[in-house]
Amino acid sequence: MTIKTRKELREILRYEKHPYINRMGGGKKQALLRFLKAHPDYYTWKYVKALRTAGYYYENRNKSLLNAFLYICACRKKNQLGRKLGIEMNERSCGRGLQIEHTQGIVVNGLAEIGDNLILHGSNCIGVSITRPGVPKIGNNVRMGFGSSIFGNVKIADNVTIAAGAVVISSCDTPNVVLAGVPAKVVKIKSN
């Protein structure tokens, strides 16, 4: 995803903030309590915010020496938070609406192409395969259950749910389905 202007950055941060800060309701009071309690949602939001800020400065790094320096600072902050939370992700891989339900064990290859509204439930890997070179291309509104993974040069259609523990090693061109198993296969067609 490319974020070229500060306005785009503000818009995407406003769009993505809700699931982390306002999930339980309560507005500013709830946000303050999450900060004071060091709630995981608060730190996950900080990570997503740093991820998007790094993406903005990446796009603008060649415009000035200051932007290049701020890109390095933003990446450092994102990577430090990522190590604490157990997340490895490139600032340009995911489209808008990224939602991380649980941290720890999330690895996304830097060259993966991921659409909007990806939901990760934790312990997810989106990466390369030794037997199938290339990286995954994931559509919009994909939900990855806890412990699910996608490996290799595969394409995932829009509105696909990948069940907990599933390992996807072949493409799924059919939208609105549930994939489950090892290796993952279509087990259900979702009704609208």
Side-chain angles (χ1 to χ4, degrees), residues 67-115:
N67 280 352
F69 176 73
L70 291 173
Y71 169 62
I72 291 169
C73 292
C75 278
R76 183 176 172 85
K77 182 176 182 178
K78 171 189 74 87
N79 291 334
Q80 285 175 329
L81 282 167
R83 276 192 294 283
K84 286 181 183 178
L85 296 171
I87 304 171
E88 290 180 31
M89 189 178 301
N90 184 293
E91 57 270 8
R92 299 179 67 227
S93 293
C94 294
R96 72 184 265 147
L98 173 65
Q99 191 172 335
I100 302 171
E101 295 292 328
H102 303 283
T103 60
Q104 299 304 325
I106 295 176
V107 178
V108 178
N109 184 286
L111 299 176
E113 296 175 24
I114 301 169

Side-chain angles (χ1 to χ4, degrees), residues 122-189:
S123 291
N124 304 115
C125 183
I126 300 171
V128 298
S129 166
I130 295 171
T131 57
R132 299 192 59 178
V135 293
K137 291 175 179 59
I138 301 172
N140 297 321
N141 306 310
V142 172
R143 176 184 292 261
M144 294 183 67
F146 185 83
S148 63
S149 300
I150 304 171
F151 294 115
N153 186 19
V154 298
K155 293 180 183 176
I156 304 296
D158 293 343
N159 304 309
V160 170
T161 298
I162 300 168
V167 178
V168 180
I169 57 172
S170 57
S171 293
C172 174
D173 298 325
T174 310
N176 302 307
V177 297
V178 176
L179 301 175
V182 180
K185 293 180 173 65
V186 174
V187 295
K188 181 179 177 183
I189 298 174

Side-chain angles (χ1 to χ4, degrees), residues 29 62 65 91 112 122 132 147:
K29 180 181 175 185
N62 294 326
L65 191 57
E91 57 270 8
R132 299 192 59 178

